């Protein structure tokens, strides 16, 4: 697909910012619009090096706001939709914003798109969590969806809405369902960055339940490569699982982190389990493999590099832990489009 300009939603988040950097290397001349509301999860320092890039345009706005979409849509050939509320624990405490962002926000993006035939592709970023937990084997793209948290349930709504706009209205939608990402720029509320940064400060590592839960850890750049391949070669109307062959128990990861940092395993503290905690996620990603993708990074290598990144970016995560960005965003407003 020939792309001259693209709209990324949620581009100041973890995967969105990695994807924008990745995309800029692949397509140096395209115009990149980043529509981000700057919630607590955003970090404007993730793309500090883009300030001088004339073809990078940041628009502060909400995907639930049709008027901003109507200004942006005529300018772009494709959309990659990352924006979401993403932390499962927050969805258990305060689910409302998850429903509004994932379900209403995605609906608003799709409904608005009906009037813009210039947009050739809507790449919707879903998640492997929509299938729910599986004890043995792996879910295929046509497996039943069985989400268990308000986060995954609202992501399921978004995923099916995206499909319905393909099936009912013929919109050019592709759905990506990646497994757990890790790597640089991930918010410290998430498991791996939380454990690394706490261990660096000799603080306790709160391991939920017995630490037996399994996730399939995908290095964020491997995920970016998969998403880029879908932009180029994905089939309209299809969903694609993206996994990593890196299924690891949480307890093993906690031990690996303390060992890499030369800390004591006594930092690991078993705490009350997450409500409705899914035991294991596993997806079969044969379909995207057939398109020519497979992950490159081994988990041990990726984890070492990630630990090193957080060691070298203390200034970045200390600000996040202090909530400095959230306070700043309340005052800050910068948009290059009026
Ligand atoms: P993140 O929480 O790091 O970033 C989310 C970004 O979206 C933030 O910059 C935030 O400001 C923005 N945002 C939130 N609500 C918005 C709104 N209403 N309008 C505009 N912008 C808004 O998220 P992430 O971990 O990078 O995840 C990105 C996407 O990938 C999400 O859709 C998530 O469900 C999906 N996903 C994540 C993972 C993972 O392991 N992180 C795995 C699979 C799928
Ligand atoms: O599977 C993809 C999903 O992965 C994405 O769709 C979500 O946006 C993303 O947040 C992630 O969800 P998880 O719940 O799997 O990730 P999290 O980092 O919150 O937790 C990973 C595992 O670690 C999970 O089994 C819960 C456990 N955990 C987490 C935290 C924050 C702990 O034991 N202690 C903790 O403090």
């Amino acid at each position: 697909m020939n792309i001259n300009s693209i709209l990324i939603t949620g581009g100041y988040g973890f995967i969105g910012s990695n994807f924008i950097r990745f995309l800029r290397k692949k397509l140096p001349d395209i115009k990149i619009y980043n529509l981000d509301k700057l919630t607590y999860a955003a970090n404007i320092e993730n793309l500090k090096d883009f300030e001088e890039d004339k073809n990078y345009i940041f628009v502060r706005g909400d995907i639930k706001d049709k008027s901003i979409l109507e200004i942006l849509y005529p300018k772009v050939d494709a959309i990659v939709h990352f924006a979401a509320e993403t932390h499962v624990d927050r969805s258990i405490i305060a689910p409302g914003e998850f429903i509004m962002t994932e379900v209403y926000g995605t609906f608003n993006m799709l409904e608005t798109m009906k009037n813009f035939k210039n947009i050739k592709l809507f790449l919707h970023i879903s998640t492997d969590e929509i299938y729910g937990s599986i004890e043995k084997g792996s879910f295929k793209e046509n497996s039943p969806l069985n989400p268990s948290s308000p986060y995954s349930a609202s992501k399921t709504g978004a995923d099916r809405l995206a499909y319905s706009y393909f099936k009912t209205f013929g919109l050019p939608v592709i759905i990506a369902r990646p497994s757990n990402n890790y790597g640089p720029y991930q918010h410290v509320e998430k498991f791996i960055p939380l454990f690394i940064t706490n261990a660096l400060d000799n603080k306790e590592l709160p391991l939920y339940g017995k630490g037996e839960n399994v996730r399939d850890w995908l290095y964020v750049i491997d995920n970016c490569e998969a998403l880029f391949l879908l932009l180029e070669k994905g089939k309209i109307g299809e969903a694609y699982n993206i996994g990593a062959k890196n299924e690891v128990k949480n307890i093993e990861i906690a031990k690996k982190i303390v060992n890499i940092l030369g800390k004591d395993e006594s930092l690991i503290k078993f705490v009350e389990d997450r409500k409705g905690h899914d035991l294991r996620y596993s997806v079969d990603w044969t379909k995207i493999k057939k398109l020519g993708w497979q992950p490159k990074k081994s988990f041990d290598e990726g984890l070492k590099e990630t630990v090193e990144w957080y060691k070298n970016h203390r200034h970045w995560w200390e600000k996040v832990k202090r909530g400095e960005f959230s306070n700043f965003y309340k005052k800050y407003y910068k948009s290059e489009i009026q």
Side-chain angles (χ1 to χ4, degrees), residues 47 57 65 87 98 104 112 147 153 187 232 275 298 308 324:
L47 294 172
I57 299 118
D65 176 1
H87 193 34
F98 287 71
Y104 183 78
T112 309
H187 196 285
E232 287 192 314
K275 287 188 173 65
S298 77
E308 205 51 33
E324 268 182 37

Side-chain angles (χ1 to χ4, degrees), residues 10 12-16 35-39 41-42 61-64 82-84 86 101 125-127 151 155 178-181 186:
Y12 274 123
F14 163 48
I15 307 177
L35 173 64
D36 198 301
K37 182 180 171 183
L38 298 186
T39 68
D62 193 322
I63 56 164
K64 301 194 285 302
F82 291 100
T86 61
T101 306
I125 311 303
S126 185
T127 169
Y151 163 72
K155 289 292 290 185
S179 63
N180 282 64
N181 279 222
Q186 187 168 28

